[in-house]
Amino acid sequence: MQQTMQHKTLLIYALQGSIMDINGKLIVVTGASSGIGAEVSRLLAARGAHVLLLARTRDKLVTVAGKIQVGGGQASVYPVDLSNLEATADVASQISQTHGTPDVIINNAGAGRWLFTEDTAPQEAVEMMAVPYFAAFAMTRAFLPDMLKRDSGFIVNITSPAAFIAWPGATSYVVARAAMRSFSDALRADLGGTGIRVGLVVPGLVNSPYFEHNPGALGKVPRISRLFRTLTPQQAAQAILRCIQHDRRQVIVPLEMYLVAVLHRWFPRPVEWLVNITGARRPGG
Ligand SMILES: NC(=O)c1ccc[n+]([C@@H]2O[C@H](COP(=O)([O-])OP(=O)(O)OC[C@H]3O[C@@H](n4cnc5c(N)ncnc54)[C@H](OP(=O)(O)O)[C@@H]3O)[C@@H](O)[C@H]2O)c1
């Protein structure tokens, strides 16, 4: 019975092409203290990776690492505020000296308020770019020279459907998310002909603590998204795993969200109209 299962799995892998073996890989996960980042860290550690957990809140990182270690996995904790470029460079250098060059970087950390343009102070617009985008840039840049020397590595950026279709009431969030998408495209172009791969993972709505951490955001999710499945952090983590294992340039989940992205490419106006009329309105608007 078990042998048949193994044969089936091997057949599926053969049909899907080469897969990366996660076992023994050194993987940096930013935003690992909560939600999707914590879940993907558990998933990767359970497959034999040594996960390096980065976020601001030490206690939460220690809890995630503790659960991984109790299950026999390997996890190390690096508390850092990734909106601080110097601190980001320092933590990357500490990681290089202690563990060597990561095989995979998952740029997942992200936070920020969803506000209309006129409600966003210019300084807040600057801060919204700090994490995710500048943090992802700085983290990737820190390890890239050594990855290039080794000629291997996988960089995964996490973004939101906002990177494809803007919605009202979240200007700086939408721009920061689009930056993650463009960063992935630019990196892929830069790294063409090298052994380093770049993937973009785009989960739709995920029932993670994100909406507790960013009050007001949930009320601004366009109502059209109620037609789509809400993902669990575990499902979002599975999508990241799939991206890495199967060397995917882009994974959009759930399927409904992928279909909307395709539809938007061909029929931008009707899709944007639907998102807009079901999106947030100004008070009295
Ligand atoms: N939830 C959704 O519906 C959804 C959908 C699509 C994409 N995403 C994206 O997926 C990523 C993960 O979100 P999530 O849903 O798992 O939300 P979450 O539970 O709020 O997790 C966000 C993570 O980012 C970390 N973080 C935030 N600011 C940071 C900073 N300045 N420095 C270091 N770490 C920082 C947080 O840790 P600390 O607070 O401890 O620093 C936390 O670990 C985010 O980029 C989010 O935008 C979420």
Side-chain angles (χ1 to χ4, degrees), residues 29-32 37 54-55 82 106-111 131-133 135-136 158 177 180:
V29 182
T30 75
L54 278 65
L82 294 168
I106 303 179
N107 290 311
N108 163 75
V131 184
Y133 170 57
I158 313 305
R177 293 293 143 186
M180 290 297 278

Side-chain angles (χ1 to χ4, degrees), residues 9-66:
T9 312
L10 285 174
L11 182 66
I12 290 165
Y13 286 167
L15 291 172
Q16 287 180 330
S18 68
I19 63 155
M20 186 202 268
D21 186 4
I22 300 297
N23 190 27
K25 295 287 186 288
L26 186 64
I27 303 186
V28 168
V29 182
T30 75
S33 65
S34 169
I36 300 170
E39 231 17 89
V40 78
S41 301
R42 283 188 204 115
L43 191 63
L44 294 166
R47 278 163 175 71
H50 178 178
V51 286
L52 308 178
L53 313 178
L54 278 65
R56 288 166 301 186
T57 321
R58 176 186 287 276
D59 291 358
K60 290 190 190 172
L61 289 176
V62 167
T63 305
V64 176

Side-chain angles (χ1 to χ4, degrees), residues 22-138:
I22 300 297
N23 190 27
K25 295 287 186 288
L26 186 64
I27 303 186
V28 168
V29 182
T30 75
S33 65
S34 169
I36 300 170
E39 231 17 89
V40 78
S41 301
R42 283 188 204 115
L43 191 63
L44 294 166
R47 278 163 175 71
H50 178 178
V51 286
L52 308 178
L53 313 178
L54 278 65
R56 288 166 301 186
T57 321
R58 176 186 287 276
D59 291 358
K60 290 190 190 172
L61 289 176
V62 167
T63 305
V64 176
K67 283 184 185 159
I68 289 172
Q69 287 154 356
V70 163
Q74 267 189 293
S76 307
V77 158
Y78 287 92
V80 58
D81 182 349
L82 294 168
S83 67
N84 179 329
L85 292 176
E86 250 175 63
T88 305
D90 284 352
V91 86
S93 134
Q94 228 179 305
I95 288 172
S96 291
Q97 282 167 24
T98 314
H99 307 283
T101 307
D103 300 291
V104 180
I105 304 170
I106 303 179
N107 290 311
N108 163 75
R113 296 200 294 167
W114 292 21
L115 296 170
F116 282 98
T117 309
E118 70 276 20
D119 296 333
T120 310
Q123 183 56 34
E124 187 161 355
V126 171
E127 287 160 11
M128 290 287 292
M129 292 300 277
V131 184
Y133 170 57
F134 288 124
F137 181 90

Side-chain angles (χ1 to χ4, degrees), residues 96-283:
S96 291
Q97 282 167 24
T98 314
H99 307 283
T101 307
D103 300 291
V104 180
I105 304 170
I106 303 179
N107 290 311
N108 163 75
R113 296 200 294 167
W114 292 21
L115 296 170
F116 282 98
T117 309
E118 70 276 20
D119 296 333
T120 310
Q123 183 56 34
E124 187 161 355
V126 171
E127 287 160 11
M128 290 287 292
M129 292 300 277
V131 184
Y133 170 57
F134 288 124
F137 181 90
M139 191 48 66
T140 305
R141 166 69 181 76
F143 294 115
L144 207 49
D146 287 335
M147 281 186 165
L148 282 166
K149 268 187 219 148
R150 199 183 51 192
D151 200 31
S152 73
F154 203 109
I155 296 149
V156 192
N157 296 319
I158 313 305
T159 196
S160 138
F164 294 82
I165 309 169
W167 56 72
T171 312
S172 295
Y173 175 80
V174 168
V175 173
R177 293 293 143 186
M180 290 297 278
R181 181 185 175 195
S182 292
F183 178 46
S184 308
D185 289 343
L187 255 185
R188 197 176 294 115
D190 266 9
L191 295 171
T194 76
I196 304 166
R197 301 280 173 263
V198 180
L200 180 69
V201 177
V202 190
L205 195 62
V206 182
N207 62 5
S208 71
Y210 181 89
F211 296 99
E212 282 160 43
H213 298 158
N214 302 279
L218 193 57
K220 291 202 173 100
V221 175
R223 292 185 304 285
I224 183 87
S225 71
R226 292 180 193 164
L227 298 176
F228 313 147
R229 277 168 293 175
T230 297
L231 301 171
T232 60
Q234 290 83 344
Q235 287 169 319
Q238 287 285 354
I240 298 172
L241 176 68
R242 208 157 62 238
C243 179
I244 300 167
Q245 279 192 314
H246 299 292
D247 188 8
R248 295 275 165 82
R249 70 195 298 282
Q250 187 169 285
V251 176
I252 304 179
V253 283
L255 178 67
E256 306 88 278
M257 191 53 73
Y258 170 74
L259 294 176
V260 170
V262 172
L263 205 64
H264 181 243
R265 202 178 308 150
W266 293 102
F267 306 104
R269 278 170 189 258
V271 174
E272 285 166 17
W273 177 80
L274 265 174
V275 170
N276 266 293
I277 58 153
T278 63
R281 288 277 158 268
R282 291 176 181 78

